Amino acid sequence: MTITTTRPEPASADLGTDPQEPAGRRVLTGDRPTGPLHLGHYFGTLRNRVRLQRQGAELFVVVADYQVITDRDIADRLAEHSENLVIDYLATGLDPESATIFAHSAVPALNQLLLPFLSLVSVAELGRNPTVKDEIAHSRQSSVSGLMFTYPVHQAADILFCKADLVPVGQDQLPHLEVARTVARRFNERYGAGIFPRPRALLSEAPLLPGTDGGKMSKSRGNAIALAADEDETARLVRGARTDAERRISYDPAGRPGVAGLLQLAALCQDRTPGQLAEEIGNGGAAALKRTVTEAVNEHLRPIRARRAELAADRAHIRQVLRTGAERANAVADATLAEVRAAMGAVGSA
Ligand code: TRP
């Protein structure tokens, strides 16, 4: 029996957050190849993707290389970062036989969808996107590029080219999903064709993982433990984490964010609660806490890191995964673009 839960749509925004049965569904997700994935990605989304795949969903994963240059002038070491993303995906359990893993830049028809899609969104709407506004506020660039302003529409092309039903995302990506839903609806309305389904967000259940300073784990804050880090580096990062001088370890996220973050991290790795761990460490102080966390992280990541090392030794295989993914994605994107051009009555469409 299939049970589909339907929740009322939120009144304020058309987000379509509605977890559905993953079997038989098409899932699109992706990452920007800007550097190594860390434990925040792992507990936030990577594990979830693997779970969806095991439950029978068809996965499309975009290595969003054109999205790298939204907030920086130059895409640094793009090929290396892209291949490392694929290594992280495979090491954490994605099966490339059934998942289609590809880079933006290898799928021309996906990118061409951006043009008709841009015509469906107003400049005022683009300017209201809260995630883009926040990124502009934090950008180190001296001016806002056209790509920064419009990349959510490009992301709509990522999602719609393969007619994805589900998009697993964190909270910050919800405005982008709303753009994709709007574009799908308006395209269908304007051209009278039911080409695009309306994708739904699948919100990650994992809490935002704090980094080693108690703030959100993020590469740019230097508080992240990469999947690719070795055991010594992990120990060093944890040792450098901000805690306090109180000997008795307690789980108090508001009062002791540094201690609480470390407890959460170890708890996720050991599938226990932060409170249980705190009790066990008791009067051991920060030193015992950090030892526990280092061991928990290293133990949890040991098989993933071993697999990572094997995969990293065979770059040719990784490149082949990307080539095969691009082939599949191109076939799907070409078909969708043909439908779009036909619906628009473009000259030369079949
Ligand atoms: N913007 C996403 C991020 O920064 C990456 C991304 C690109 C994405 N295209 C996507 C996520 C499509 C979901 C769906 O993490």
Side-chain angles (χ1 to χ4, degrees), residues 91-105:
T92 49
L94 264 200
D95 173 12
E97 291 295 318
S98 69
T100 299
I101 305 172
F102 65 98
H104 267 152
S105 61

Side-chain angles (χ1 to χ4, degrees), residues 28-32 62 64 67 151 155 158-159 167 169 173:
L28 179 290
T29 172
D31 302 277
R32 301 197 304 157
V62 61
Q67 210 181 91
Y151 86 83
Q155 189 158 319
D158 296 346
I159 295 167
V167 186
V169 283
Q173 298 293 306

